Amino acid sequence: MMPSLPPQAPPAPGRPLPAPATTGPLPSPAELALEFPLPPESAERIARHRETIRAVLERRDPRLLVVAGPCSVHDPAAALEYAGLLADAARRFEDDLVVVLRAYLEKPRTVTGWTGLLTSPEYGGTGDLDAGLRLGRSLLTDTAATGLPLAYEFVDPALAPYVADTVSWAAIGARTVASQPHRHLASWLPMPVGMKNCVSGGLDTAVAAVQAAAHAHTLPAVSSDGRLTTVRSSGNRSAHLVLRGGPVPNYDRRDIARARAALAAAGLPERVVVDASHGNSGKDHNRQPGVVADLAGQIADGDASLAGVMIESYLSDGRQDPGAGRPRPDLSVTDACLGWSRTLPLLDALAVAARKRAS
């Protein structure tokens, strides 16, 4: 017998009943891909980007991976403007850096808040997944056309088939790195995946996630026709550790050495990507340049385990809390970001460091 649900309390006097949640069928991944196709030239370029990033992680390519972009995308037109600027910079620094655009459309939340363009395309709205999937897919195919590799944090595994073909580097975040479905998803994803250390700052959970992702798994997934199906992954040998700090930063030389030791003890390649934001900057965007300067010094001194650096960067400096108003398109609505004028010097410094390491 099914257990009965507890009775619900009646609404307080004078308070209106909440509106019912909007439900309905979503397009299948195949239908959405037909509506917003990825041109063959973009698909071929993405395959090359993935292989290039693998080569950087494995030190077959001496360049440095740099993932730069907004904390989360809230305005497609402004995101494309930023992508154009970053694409120009990527070409300028291509001898020393592999620059990847942070195109994050899902936002993990500790409790509540805006969950990203893909699930809530109208900032401050109640959510419209159907519209968000269309807007998000359209934006990702447009940004892929700039020639930049795209980075994406996969928050909801059920939504991965709608966007994964556009992505060249993926992240599993600090709040989901312990999740078995996310580890299994990483084992299936066809691009390198970075596993962030958990919010507490400990490395063991993320190191275990890298190990788990390297193995084959059987997992449920949404098929191209929208049905729930069984998938057998082959394992992702390009999964790696991302240091994002915690209550205290974890990017200095001693922290990198501890990360190498933890990876070696687990039988994993000693390679790390370091996030200059989040716990490593205390969520103060003004501290990111200092973090990047420290990392550039380590890279210039020859630390081959430092495979990449992440920077939260956008058109304008800082962040906003628009409340009930319409947000500014050029300013982050989530974590504060470095403005573009402050980002370029950091790319230059990292390119100089990477060149010195390779010489």
Side-chain angles (χ1 to χ4, degrees):
M1 179 180 295
M2 292 291 291
S4 60
L5 293 172
Q8 293 187 338
R15 180 176 298 172
L17 290 170
T22 301
T23 61
L26 293 172
S28 70
E31 289 168 338
L32 199 67
L34 281 174
E35 190 174 349
F36 303 101
L38 190 66
E41 59 270 23
S42 289
E44 292 168 5
R45 190 163 50 237
I46 289 165
R48 293 195 300 270
H49 288 327
R50 291 170 176 175
E51 179 52 38
T52 296
I53 294 169
R54 289 189 188 99
V56 170
L57 291 167
E58 295 169 8
R59 306 311 304 148
R60 292 183 284 112
D61 187 322
R63 292 179 291 176
L64 180 72
L65 178 69
V66 178
V67 180
C71 175
S72 55
V73 174
H74 72 282
D75 185 284
L80 282 169
E81 180 184 350
Y82 179 90
L85 294 170
L86 191 66
D88 288 343
R91 288 187 286 270
R92 173 180 167 187
F93 296 115
E94 65 183 351
D95 289 343
D96 304 299
L97 306 179
V98 175
V99 178
V100 180
L101 171 66
R102 182 182 167 112
Y104 286 19
L105 306 185
E106 299 178 71
K107 181 67 181 173
R109 289 299 189 181
T110 301
V111 181
T112 60
W114 183 63
T115 55
L117 192 78
L118 206 67
T119 56
S120 187
E122 187 68 29
Y123 181 80
T126 56
D128 186 340
L129 187 53
D130 185 30
L133 283 170
R134 287 181 161 85
L135 184 62
R137 172 85 189 177
S138 173
L139 174 61
L140 291 172
T141 54
D142 285 347
T143 49
T146 67
L148 282 170
L150 304 186
Y152 191 93
E153 180 178 341
F154 288 94
V155 176
D156 189 330
L159 302 181
Y162 290 94
V163 298
D165 61 327
T166 69
V167 177
S168 297
W169 183 86
I172 301 298
R175 293 168 181 78
T176 51
V177 72
S179 158
Q180 179 170 288
H182 288 81
R183 294 175 174 189
H184 289 185
L185 171 66
S187 78
W188 168 81
L189 287 170
M191 76 286 294
V193 180
M195 303 292 195
K196 287 197 169 187
N197 67 254
C198 57
V199 176
S200 70
L203 302 184
D204 54 342
T205 301
V207 170
V210 174
Q211 290 178 299
H215 291 276
H217 298 281
T218 300
L219 59 148
V222 177
S223 66
S224 62
D225 64 2
R227 298 183 182 185
L228 193 63
T229 188
T230 301
V231 171
R232 180 68 178 172
S233 72
S234 58
N236 192 332
R237 296 289 178 178
S238 298
H240 52 281
L241 177 64
V242 178
L243 301 179
R244 50 86 71 197
V248 296
N250 61 3
Y251 64 84
D252 69 14
R253 294 172 191 266
R254 289 172 299 178
D255 292 313
I256 302 299
R258 279 192 286 266
R260 286 199 305 266
L263 290 166
L268 295 169
E270 297 177 31
R271 58 193 182 197
V272 297
V273 171
V274 180
D275 183 352
S277 186
H278 298 99
N280 278 330
S281 67
K283 287 199 172 183
D284 179 352
H285 65 295
N286 293 308
R287 294 180 180 176
Q288 284 194 81
V291 178
V292 171
D294 188 297
L295 295 170
Q298 296 179 58
I299 293 162
D301 286 345
D303 190 337
S305 69
L306 273 167
V309 176
M310 299 181 71
I311 303 170
E312 285 198 322
S313 156
Y314 200 34
L315 294 170
S316 296
D317 207 63
R319 68 173 302 276
Q320 62 183 313
D321 185 5
R326 185 172 181 82
R328 278 175 52 179
D330 60 319
L331 191 60
S332 175
V333 296
T334 46
D335 288 350
C337 297
L338 284 174
W340 179 248
S341 64
R342 300 178 70 191
T343 301
L344 264 179
L346 302 188
L347 297 178
D348 192 24
L350 289 170
V352 170
R355 192 180 316 131
K356 184 174 181 181
R357 181 173 67 179
S359 63

